[in-house]
Amino acid sequence: MEYRTITYKEIRENPEVTALMERGNDMLGALGYTEHSKKHACKVAKGAGDILSSLGYDKRVCELARIAGYMHDIGNCVNRVDHAHSGALLAFQILRGLGMPPEEVACVTSAIGQHDEKTGTAVDPVSAALILADKSDVRRNRVRNRVKATFDKHDRVNYAAVAAELTVLTEKKTVQLDIELDEEICSILDYFEIFLQRMLMCKRAAEVLGLKFRMHANGHKMC
């Protein structure tokens, strides 16, 4: 088989990927989950690529991180349960069909398969960058439920997030997540009750990249 270079732009414009992503987002909306649309996919893709670029990784590795970041949630079209694993298998089929080299297919699919905090962990730079970019995307406009009285705990935490920014501080060998929370909606303690496992996953991902993970909430250093 003749292999070729697959770009992030090509994946972003691929109708099969788009259909899987849109179906998954619609399904999660019907189940009451937060937004997992192209906006989230693009934000994660950009974040993952930028993290590795700021650390001096090869351009192709950064491009693979963008591809993995964009495709990471396509498994939601199958089921929310085990969506990382089903998404990895879907990505494998798509990327192989497009002619991506086997070692690159393996890199992207393993990163997607490791991104969920219930079953995964960072194992290499691409998976680490994907995890950090994904778990830091906490924002108010991801909440689709417009009735505050019926918010579940995840709606409340995301809606309370007025701003969130992930920054790589190369000189300090640190990746820092700064979150501004509306504490009338959700306390900092409530945030950690929901997202502690995700923050621990980010800590491990940072370590894989040779960094420390730090989190500041409303100006307070939390970890």
Side-chain angles (χ1 to χ4, degrees):
M1 181 177 180
E2 185 175 343
Y3 302 116
R4 64 188 187 88
T5 300
I6 306 300
T7 65
Y8 166 50
K9 181 177 184 294
E10 181 178 349
I11 293 301
R12 202 173 57 201
E13 296 174 354
N14 183 281
E16 191 172 7
V17 174
T18 298
L20 293 171
M21 186 182 300
E22 290 180 350
R23 177 64 179 175
N25 187 47
D26 289 345
M27 190 200 75
L28 291 186
L31 295 173
Y33 283 86
T34 52
E35 168 263 327
H36 286 71
S37 68
K38 274 193 172 186
K39 184 174 183 178
H40 172 62
C42 288
K43 185 174 178 62
V44 174
K46 183 179 186 303
D50 288 352
I51 288 168
L52 296 188
S53 180
S54 68
L55 294 173
Y57 280 87
D58 179 84
K59 287 184 178 180
R60 186 57 188 165
V61 175
C62 298
E63 188 80 340
L64 293 178
R66 293 185 187 97
I67 291 170
Y70 189 77
M71 299 180 78
H72 78 283
D73 270 337
I74 60 174
N76 283 315
C77 74
V78 178
N79 198 299
R80 179 61 180 174
V81 177
D82 270 346
H83 75 284
H85 301 153
S86 54
L89 294 173
L90 288 168
F92 174 83
Q93 293 289 346
I94 293 169
L95 296 174
R96 188 175 67 168
L98 290 172
M100 178 180 274
E103 63 276 10
E104 293 189 352
V105 174
C107 176
V108 172
T109 55
S110 65
I112 294 172
Q114 292 289 347
H115 87 270
D116 186 69
E117 65 271 16
K118 293 184 179 66
T119 58
T121 188
V123 294
D124 62 9
V126 172
S127 60
L130 167 53
I131 287 167
L132 286 165
D134 180 38
K135 304 314 174 190
S136 62
D137 188 18
V138 183
R139 51 189 163 83
R140 174 167 291 185
N141 59 5
R142 290 193 71 189
V143 178
R144 292 191 269 201
N145 182 1
R146 297 306 175 200
V147 183
K148 294 182 184 179
T150 63
F151 276 3
D152 66 12
K153 55 188 180 181
H154 291 91
D155 287 338
R156 193 170 66 254
V157 169
N158 278 280
Y159 194 81
V162 178
E165 183 176 3
L166 189 73
T167 308
V168 177
L169 306 171
T170 52
E171 291 184 1
K172 296 182 178 180
K173 294 186 177 181
T174 299
V175 57
Q176 182 169 307
L177 176 61
D178 291 285
I179 292 186
E180 181 183 348
L181 292 173
D182 183 341
E183 294 192 68
E184 292 187 3
I185 299 172
C186 165
S187 70
I188 295 174
L189 184 61
D190 287 337
Y191 178 92
F192 272 94
E193 179 187 0
I194 306 303
F195 288 145
L196 177 59
Q197 194 173 357
R198 297 184 186 184
M199 296 302 98
L200 291 174
M201 193 182 199
C202 287
K203 178 178 180 292
R204 163 63 181 163
E207 289 170 351
V208 168
L209 295 172
L211 304 172
K212 297 176 183 176
F213 177 72
R214 295 287 180 262
M215 177 183 170
H216 290 190
N218 292 355
H220 302 290
K221 183 178 178 180
M222 307 305 298
C223 64

